Amino acid sequence: MISLSENKEYTFKREHPEPFNNLIYTVFIFSILFHIRDLTANSIYERLYGLFIAGTFIVLILNQLYIIITKKYKLSDLIIDNNHIAIKKWFLMRYYTIDLQQVKNITELLLTLDNLIEITLMNNKKIRLSLKGYSNNDKKLISNQFKVINSNLKIQLN
């Protein structure tokens, strides 16, 4: 079993980053939905709804453009070290950093299609990390790392 007493940082990357595909799909769906909504708008409420939908899709498109321009899709999706767990968030590809001293419990949920790791913080907030998209080898390594962290947490709590 791997010990976290080593001063090592583990980084994991998903197999297929898809910002280009996401951008194309978003623009395609936006063009279809906005065109239909614009032709059928009769009242002010329908037009406001159309503007809301358009604004949402514009934010999604700008998010994907930001990810492509800054090449943030090349960054690691998960970073585990001795003191922190950093999970890359979807919006603007920023990291959500969890201090290990704030973690109460880590459980692994084995589902048929996907493995989930649920991190419970001291304030009872639960964070779910999906292992979908990682290679099988990375899934095993991630699972082992979280088992080591969880065992270290239980030792510290006792």
Side-chain angles (χ1 to χ4, degrees):
M1 185 140 286
I2 303 171
S3 172
L4 281 179
S5 61
E6 312 165 2
N7 193 11
K8 190 169 181 183
E9 179 178 273
Y10 298 93
T11 60
F12 302 98
K13 181 102 179 96
R14 293 184 192 268
E15 289 182 336
H16 304 289
E18 301 176 345
F20 297 105
N21 292 342
N22 290 344
L23 180 64
I24 292 168
Y25 295 146
T26 306
V27 170
F28 180 70
I29 293 171
F30 169 71
S31 64
I32 291 173
L33 289 179
F34 192 70
H35 183 67
I36 292 171
R37 176 57 46 194
D38 191 33
L39 291 177
T40 60
N42 293 328
S43 70
I44 187 75
Y45 298 112
E46 289 178 355
R47 290 179 190 209
L48 286 175
Y49 178 74
L51 288 174
F52 173 74
I53 295 295
T56 302
F57 275 107
I58 288 171
V59 168
L60 293 174
I61 291 168
L62 291 175
N63 180 48
Q64 292 301 316
L65 284 174
Y66 172 79
I67 291 167
I68 291 169
I69 291 170
T70 58
K71 298 186 179 178
K72 289 203 171 202
Y73 61 91
K74 293 183 178 179
L75 297 175
S76 297
D77 292 305
L78 176 65
I79 302 171
I80 302 172
D81 65 12
N82 291 345
N83 302 317
H84 299 77
I85 301 169
I87 303 168
K88 189 164 60 169
K89 296 192 297 185
W90 174 80
F91 190 71
L92 298 179
M93 293 287 178
R94 293 200 173 143
Y95 284 104
Y96 180 72
T97 305
I98 303 167
D99 188 18
L100 287 182
Q101 295 178 355
Q102 296 299 319
V103 176
K104 185 190 325 186
N105 188 20
I106 298 173
T107 56
E108 187 171 356
L109 307 171
L110 299 174
L111 304 173
T112 55
L113 297 176
D114 193 15
N115 293 0
L116 291 174
I117 296 191
E118 187 174 76
I119 302 169
T120 307
L121 301 179
M122 291 294 183
N123 61 0
N124 289 330
K125 180 180 177 183
K126 294 186 179 190
I127 300 165
R128 287 190 173 186
L129 172 66
S130 173
L131 298 183
K132 185 176 182 180
Y134 292 103
S135 68
N136 289 332
N137 189 28
D138 281 351
K139 285 180 184 180
K140 290 176 186 172
L141 288 171
I142 292 169
S143 178
N144 287 338
Q145 285 303 310
F146 279 113
K147 285 176 184 174
V148 168
I149 292 171
N150 199 27
S151 65
N152 287 345
L153 289 173
K154 289 181 180 179
I155 290 171
Q156 289 176 359
L157 290 176
N158 291 333

